[in-house]
Amino acid sequence: VWVSARCLSIDSDQFSTLRQLKKFLDNLLLDRGYTALHTFWLRINFGIFYPDSIDDYCQIRPWVCHALRSNVQVLGIVHHGEILTIGNAFTSSYLKRLQLRNFDVDDWFVKKLFSGCPNLEELELICCFVNIIKFSSTKLQRSTVTTTDDRSISCLGFEDMVIDMPKLVSLDIKEVPDRNLYFVDVSSLETASVCIDESSFASSQVDCNVLSALSNITSLRSLSLTVRHKVLERDVLRCAKFNSLTTLSLGEWCLGSGCSSLLHLLQRSPKIQKLILHLTDVGASQCDHPEQHAVVVGDPTCSETQRPFNCENLKKIEINCPLGDKRIHVIVRILYENINSPTEINIMSH
């Protein structure tokens, strides 16, 4: 039965010690040989309450190498513990999807991965220490990148993280410290979710092209953009039209100066059907104390208000906000004053 199994999912929770896991997995892989594998998923969660744990990639390297030699197509190494560093390159013409959790990922590893696995289509880096300057692949179609929650780990100075992936269809990237995202060629994107916070930028003067680069993509249909920094306010003015965009999800970065950035984006999204705004407790509390440099919604005078425009396809606006957020009535009024077409607005308080 083990020899014929094409999919193996091993979870350390089923073992009381690391020694038991190693004994089981070593025997399992030895008995099955290099019979072709489709999926090999390894979840390791030996925490502080266990007598031992994985603290070196060399401890799991033989299992990963066995999977690659077995022509695995889907490989997942989900590690809960100390950040691990992969000291060898992955080489397989069969590997199509890779997920890593809690690993140190740098330019050397990424370059070797894309050259050694030429048919890789999906890469997920979850809670990893991302120390990448150039993210380039001609084959990758889907990518997810989230960084470790340990902010004591940081890269060596601020750098651009260049993303050059012409075949990429889906991108989900969240809060990469010390790395300013810079898109070169992401012309095939259909869905994009980008979350950027203050730790990504050296200063507010950094040139960021996230919005202007995405606005040139004719296939982009869904965009979620959460930014805790003012760098995008300049990039908004460089945007072309989002001609295929139907769903737009934004953080409160777009609400300053009478929602000018929000209105600018809506005017350049002729097919927009749904708008989602995410307001935070921090923004709401700062609104009560504007001296704390809040993202405050300005209440524009008549002379500052733009000429109303049509969003014929916009049928629903959803605003997620803290209970009692004083910015809501201003946002709603600005939207109704500037959008001619009737639109349903739902306010979801939390």
Side-chain angles (χ1 to χ4, degrees):
V1 173
W2 285 119
V3 172
S4 62
R6 296 289 310 282
C7 300
L8 297 178
S9 180
I10 311 298
D11 193 331
S12 68
D13 285 350
Q14 305 301 317
F15 303 87
S16 57
T17 66
L18 177 58
R19 183 179 179 181
Q20 286 185 355
L21 171 64
K22 286 176 64 66
K23 181 179 179 180
F24 173 81
L25 199 46
D26 287 344
N27 286 326
L28 166 61
L29 298 182
L30 179 65
D31 287 343
R32 76 179 305 280
Y34 293 114
T35 305
L37 268 175
H38 180 274
T39 302
F40 183 71
W41 210 263
L42 179 61
R43 180 179 178 272
I44 304 171
N45 187 21
F46 290 107
I48 60 175
F49 300 108
Y50 289 86
D52 48 11
S53 61
I54 298 287
D55 56 10
D56 193 319
Y57 175 72
C58 291
Q59 294 172 270
I60 63 175
R61 177 180 174 179
W63 305 332
V64 176
C65 290
H66 182 101
L68 293 172
R69 291 190 187 117
S70 300
N71 299 335
V72 70
Q73 297 180 41
V74 178
L75 175 61
I77 313 173
V78 180
H79 175 242
H80 298 268
E82 296 294 325
I83 295 287
L84 298 181
T85 300
I86 300 175
N88 66 294
F90 286 14
T91 303
S92 172
S93 60
Y94 293 88
L95 189 63
K96 294 184 177 181
R97 178 189 174 194
L98 173 64
Q99 182 184 118
L100 298 175
R101 183 186 178 97
N102 266 23
F103 282 85
D104 182 349
V105 181
D106 59 11
D107 283 308
W108 177 88
F109 174 77
V110 167
K111 184 177 180 180
K112 293 293 185 181
L113 176 66
F114 291 144
S115 62
C117 303
N119 295 310
L120 188 67
E121 297 177 351
E122 184 170 357
L123 176 62
E124 299 167 87
L125 305 175
I126 310 298
C127 296
C128 288
F129 172 41
V130 180
N131 190 11
I132 302 172
I133 295 176
K134 189 170 184 179
F135 215 26
S136 178
S137 170
T138 58
K139 293 290 185 69
L140 203 68
Q141 297 180 19
R142 290 172 292 278
S143 181
T144 300
V145 179
T146 67
T147 59
T148 175
D149 293 330
D150 186 356
R151 294 307 188 192
S152 65
I153 304 175
S154 63
C155 301
L156 300 176
F158 290 93
E159 297 275 0
D160 285 344
M161 188 167 90
V162 176
I163 299 180
D164 187 8
M165 298 182 178
K167 295 293 182 66
L168 199 66
V169 174
S170 174
L171 174 65
D172 185 354
I173 187 165
K174 292 182 175 66
E175 300 179 1
V176 182
D178 302 346
R179 291 294 177 263
N180 169 38
L181 296 184
Y182 194 88
F183 293 144
V184 175
D185 186 353
V186 286
S187 54
S188 297
L189 271 179
E190 296 178 5
T191 63
S193 177
V194 179
C195 180
I196 309 171
D197 68 3
E198 292 88 344
S199 65
S200 298
F201 306 104
S203 72
S204 60
Q205 302 305 312
V206 171
D207 185 33
C208 181
N209 78 333
V210 170
L211 267 173
S212 54
L214 293 176
S215 68
N216 291 313
I217 302 174
T218 57
S219 57
L220 187 66
R221 290 177 173 79
S222 177
L223 173 61
S224 175
L225 193 58
T226 304
V227 184
R228 300 184 185 96
H229 207 287
K230 293 184 177 181
V231 294
L232 280 190
E233 292 180 2
R234 293 191 306 275
D235 195 34
V236 168
L237 300 177
R238 299 192 295 235
C239 285
K241 282 192 174 183
F242 294 88
N243 286 315
S244 299
L245 193 67
T246 58
T247 302
L248 179 61
S249 177
L250 299 171
E252 55 194 8
W253 66 270
C254 64
L255 302 179
S257 303
C259 300
S260 59
S261 294
L262 171 59
L263 297 175
H264 196 83
L265 290 174
L266 288 176
Q267 282 183 301
R268 281 153 182 76
S269 306
K271 295 184 179 179
I272 188 75
Q273 297 176 10
K274 184 177 182 180
L275 170 68
I276 306 171
L277 297 177
H278 299 277
L279 278 59
T280 66
D281 291 304
V282 174
S285 63
Q286 289 177 339
C287 188
D288 294 330
H289 305 282
E291 69 278 2
Q292 298 179 6
H293 305 288
V295 179
V296 180
V297 179
D299 197 354
T301 62
C302 294
S303 60
E304 295 172 326
T305 304
Q306 302 184 46
R307 179 178 298 178
F309 56 90
N310 290 320
C311 284
E312 297 176 357
N313 298 299
L314 182 59
K315 303 302 180 186
K316 187 174 183 180
I317 298 176
E318 182 179 304
I319 304 177
N320 298 296
C321 63
L323 187 65
D325 194 328
K326 296 179 180 179
R327 298 170 293 177
I328 292 299
H329 72 282
V330 180
I331 296 171
V332 171
R333 183 174 63 78
I334 291 174
L335 288 171
Y336 275 131
E337 287 179 352
N338 287 275
I339 301 175
N340 282 330
S341 50
T343 303
E344 173 188 346
I345 299 181
N346 294 327
I347 299 173
M348 317 289 288
S349 299
H350 55 79

